[in-house]
C-alpha cells in the first residue's frame, strides 16, 4: 500500500499500524478507529488491520440499527452482551498448552501455527 502525504512524502507499507499512524483523520469516529488500532499495536504488536476491519463491521451494523430507530444505548448493551457470549464460547473451545522450561516444543509449535501468515523461521 502506498500513502502520499500532502507534502508528497511517500510511504510504502503493508503494516496496518503504519498506515493508521500516517493517516490524518479529522472525523471523530475515524479518530476512535485510529485509537483502537494504536491500542492494539501497543498492547499486542500485531492485528491492527483485523481490529479495524472488525470495528468497521460493528460500526456498519450499529448504523443499520440506528437507522431502524434503535437507541444507541440499546445497541451498546447488545454489543456488550455479544462480547460476553463470544468470550464464554472462546473459553469453552480453547485448549490449555502444557509446557516446561525443559520442553519448549509445545510453545514453539503453537507460535508457529499462530504466526503462519507472518514470515517466521525457526
Amino acid at each position: 500500500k502506498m500513502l502520499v502525504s500532502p507534502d508528497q512524502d511517500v510511504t510504502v507499507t503493508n503494516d496496518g499500524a503504519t498506515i493508521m499512524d500516517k493517516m490524518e483523520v479529522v472525523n471523530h469516529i475515524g479518530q476512535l478507529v485510529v485509537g483502537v488500532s494504536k491500542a492494539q499495536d501497543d498492547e499486542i504488536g500485531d492485528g491492527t488491520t483485523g481490529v479495524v476491519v472488525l470495528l468497521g463491521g460493528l460500526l456498519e451494523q450499529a448504523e443499520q440499527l440506528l437507522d431502524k430507530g434503535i437507541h444507541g444505548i440499546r445497541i451498546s448493551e447488545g454489543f456488550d452482551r455479544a462480547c460476553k457470549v463470544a468470550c464464554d464460547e472462546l473459553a469453552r473451545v480453547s485448549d490449555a498448552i502444557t509446557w516446561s522450561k525443559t520442553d519448549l516444543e509445545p510453545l514453539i509449535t503453537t507460535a508457529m501455527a499462530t504466526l503462519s501468515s507472518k514470515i517466521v523461521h525457526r
Side-chain angles (χ1 to χ4, degrees):
K1 296 155 187 103
M2 182 170 63
L3 302 170
V4 181
S5 70
D7 62 351
Q8 303 305 309
D9 183 34
V10 176
T11 301
V12 177
T13 183
N14 196 34
D15 179 50
T18 300
I19 293 168
M20 297 302 288
D21 185 53
K22 297 285 185 185
M23 292 174 56
E24 295 177 12
V25 179
V26 294
N27 177 283
H28 293 295
I29 299 300
Q31 290 173 347
L32 173 72
V33 173
V34 171
V36 170
S37 173
K38 182 169 178 12
Q40 174 72 16
D41 190 48
D42 290 348
E43 187 70 24
I44 307 298
D46 193 24
T48 55
T49 302
V51 166
V52 169
V53 170
L54 176 62
L55 184 53
L58 292 171
L59 289 170
E60 184 178 352
Q61 293 302 311
E63 181 181 37
Q64 291 176 12
L65 294 170
L66 288 168
D67 289 345
K68 291 181 179 181
I70 299 173
H71 195 279
I73 291 175
R74 300 285 294 180
I75 296 168
S76 177
E77 289 170 348
F79 283 167
D80 284 342
R81 188 170 176 193
C83 181
K84 182 179 179 345
V85 169
C87 288
D88 290 347
E89 182 64 12
L90 285 172
R92 187 185 74 75
V93 301
S94 65
D95 292 324
I97 304 295
T98 305
W99 62 280
S100 68
K101 289 182 180 180
T102 58
D103 182 19
L104 297 178
E105 192 60 33
L107 288 179
I108 293 168
T109 301
T110 301
M112 294 296 286
T114 58
L115 297 173
S116 62
S117 67
K118 305 292 179 185
I119 300 174
V120 176
H121 298 286
R122 189 171 179 192

